[in-house]
């Protein structure tokens, strides 16, 4: 009887996951020392969120307005910055996000955001992708026939990747350095992997840049997958720093899903 080769298991991902790994803290002693050095009184604000407090401190420094703050606290202060478009002050707040469960096509769009962003992404040259996951668009996953076509296509590409990686390692057997040999094999073999290949990316961005990202990628016109990521990032940041991101709201779209809107675009 002929031996039947078992198909490798296909790992399919449907949702992005966002981990907030880093947030800022303010050094209260240094702030108190600065205020004392400059006869600026005992200014205190009403937020416990480092990002929000740093922004208010930076904004108040511009006019040395620590002594007689207007009522309304940090929410009103940041609200005013958003209303008048003093966006540069928002650059002092930085968040570190680790994002998984997204496709290479999504990250190709994400890394187009240049101003105020830093990226570190999983390397397809160093990391073996023979058992990687793939991100299936929801519209395809919900249709049995389209899902079947998608699975067949992705499985074929993954099988080709594995065969090419094995063949290339063999072709490069004269190279003694095992890490270099594998890297050279994987960098060529990855050329057949699809846009749907799952990736992981570490993103550091300031609040001004993140707001611009939410507006561009949370918009109704954005690609469905990156809009879903933008919504997840928005929900996380809104919980984390409501005075900074609380002006956004979600609206239902006629074709399903939601978009992020605000009256303070691109501050
Ligand atoms: C719905 C949608 C469709 C898209 N379609 C395409 C497409 O078909 N093809 C394509 O290539 N891209 C496309 N993009 C990507 C888009 O063109 C931008 O590259 C991406 O959204 C990043 O926006 P940005 O440049 O404003 O952001 P950032 O790079 O983060 O820049 C933020 C802001 O800083 C300023 N800035 C940054 N760099 C400079 C600079 N060098 N000079 C002057 N000002 C600067 C600008 O005001 C800019 O808006 C699309 C984006 C969306 C949301």
């Amino acid at each position: 009887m002929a031996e039947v080769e078992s198909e490798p298991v296909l790992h399919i991902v449907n949702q992005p996951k966002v981990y907030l790994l880093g947030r800022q803290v303010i050094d209260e002693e240094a702030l108190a020392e600065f205020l004392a050095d400059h006869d600026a009184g005992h200014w205190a604000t009403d937020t416990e969120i480092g990002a929000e407090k740093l922004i208010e401190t930076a904004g108040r420094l511009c006019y040395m307005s620590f002594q007689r703050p207007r009522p309304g606290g940090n929410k009103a202060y940041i609200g005013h910055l958003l209303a008048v478009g003093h966006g540069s002050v928002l650059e002092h707040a930085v968040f570190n996000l680790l994002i998984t469960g997204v496709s290479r096509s999504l990250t190709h769009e994400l890394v187009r955001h240049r101003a105020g962003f830093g990226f570190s992404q999983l390397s397809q040259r160093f990391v073996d992708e023979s058992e990687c996951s793939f991100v299936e668009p929801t519209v395809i996953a919900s249709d049995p026939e389209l899902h079947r076509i998608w699975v067949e296509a992705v499985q074929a590409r993954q099988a080709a990747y594995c065969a090419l990686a094995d063949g290339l390692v063999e072709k490069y057997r004269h190279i003694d350095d095992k890490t270099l040999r594998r890297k050279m094999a994987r960098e060529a073999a990855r050329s057949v992997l699809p846009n749907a290949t799952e990736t992981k990316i570490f993103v550091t961005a300031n609040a001004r840049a993140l707001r611009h990202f939410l507006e561009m990628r949370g918009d109704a016109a954005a690609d469905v997958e990156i809009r879903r990521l933008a919504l997840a990032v928005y929900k996380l940041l809104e919980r984390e720093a409501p005075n900074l991101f609380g002006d956004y709201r979600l609206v239902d779209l006629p074709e399903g899903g939601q978009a992020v809107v605000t009256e303070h675009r691109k501050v």
Side-chain angles (χ1 to χ4, degrees), residues 16-25 49-52 93-100 201-207 210 229 232-242 244-245:
K17 186 158 183 186
V18 185
Y19 306 80
L20 178 63
L21 288 198
R23 59 174 67 81
Q24 287 169 302
V25 291
I49 312 295
E52 294 176 347
V94 172
F95 298 90
N96 310 103
L97 307 172
L98 197 161
I99 299 169
T100 64
I201 189 162
F202 195 110
V203 181
T204 296
N206 69 54
L210 283 165
L229 173 68
V233 170
Y234 156 66
K235 287 174 186 167
L236 192 152
L237 291 175
E238 199 273 330
R239 275 198 308 275
E240 178 71 16
L244 257 176
F245 298 98

Side-chain angles (χ1 to χ4, degrees), residues 251-263:
V251 293
D252 292 331
L253 296 173
E255 65 274 22
Q258 292 183 306
V260 180
V261 293
T262 178
E263 64 195 90

Side-chain angles (χ1 to χ4, degrees), residues 22-231:
R23 59 174 67 81
Q24 287 169 302
V25 291
I26 193 157
D27 186 328
E28 297 290 352
E29 268 184 41
L31 176 61
E33 187 181 347
F34 161 77
L35 293 171
D37 286 350
H38 294 82
D39 278 337
H42 298 283
W43 171 71
T45 185
D46 60 354
T47 180
E48 299 296 318
I49 312 295
E52 294 176 347
K53 194 164 180 178
L54 282 167
I55 287 173
E56 185 175 349
T57 307
R60 290 198 178 282
L61 175 81
C62 299
Y63 304 116
M64 285 304 281
S65 63
F66 294 97
Q67 275 175 324
R68 279 178 297 282
R70 287 189 195 149
N74 181 269
K75 183 175 168 48
Y77 191 87
I78 290 183
H80 178 69
L81 292 178
L82 297 176
V84 298
H86 280 180
S88 63
V89 189
L90 273 51
E91 293 171 19
H92 298 292
V94 172
F95 298 90
N96 310 103
L97 307 172
L98 197 161
I99 299 169
T100 64
V102 292
S103 68
R104 293 281 295 196
S105 54
L106 181 148
T107 56
H108 187 78
E109 294 187 352
L110 178 59
V111 300
R112 294 292 302 279
H113 291 263
R114 300 156 290 174
F117 272 89
F119 301 103
S120 299
Q121 183 167 12
L122 179 141
S123 168
Q124 287 187 327
R125 299 177 72 206
F126 283 91
V127 177
D128 175 26
E129 294 280 42
S130 55
E131 291 185 13
C132 68
S133 301
F134 297 91
V135 179
E136 183 178 20
T138 314
V139 65
I140 295 179
S142 63
D143 182 308
E145 178 55 10
L146 298 179
H147 171 71
R148 185 190 63 73
I149 295 169
W150 184 87
V151 166
E152 274 179 24
V154 169
Q155 275 176 331
R157 303 283 287 276
Q158 192 166 33
Y161 170 85
C162 294
L164 285 169
D166 290 348
L168 286 158
V169 164
E170 188 54 28
K171 194 175 181 65
Y172 287 132
R173 66 182 178 277
H174 57 281
I175 297 172
D176 290 333
D177 183 334
K178 197 167 137 190
T179 306
L180 177 63
R181 193 165 64 234
R182 285 180 175 168
K183 185 182 78 172
M184 290 172 73
R186 288 168 188 165
E187 74 185 12
R190 67 174 168 168
S191 59
V192 297
L193 287 172
N195 266 342
T197 307
E198 191 257 354
T199 185
K200 305 175 204 315
I201 189 162
F202 195 110
V203 181
T204 296
N206 69 54
R208 186 186 204 182
L210 283 165
R211 286 184 59 92
H212 183 53
F213 166 77
L214 295 180
E215 288 154 35
M216 299 288 286
R217 304 303 182 171
D219 189 83
D223 168 85
V224 171
E225 189 194 358
I226 201 165
R227 177 148 43 83
R228 198 165 46 191
L229 173 68
L231 261 61

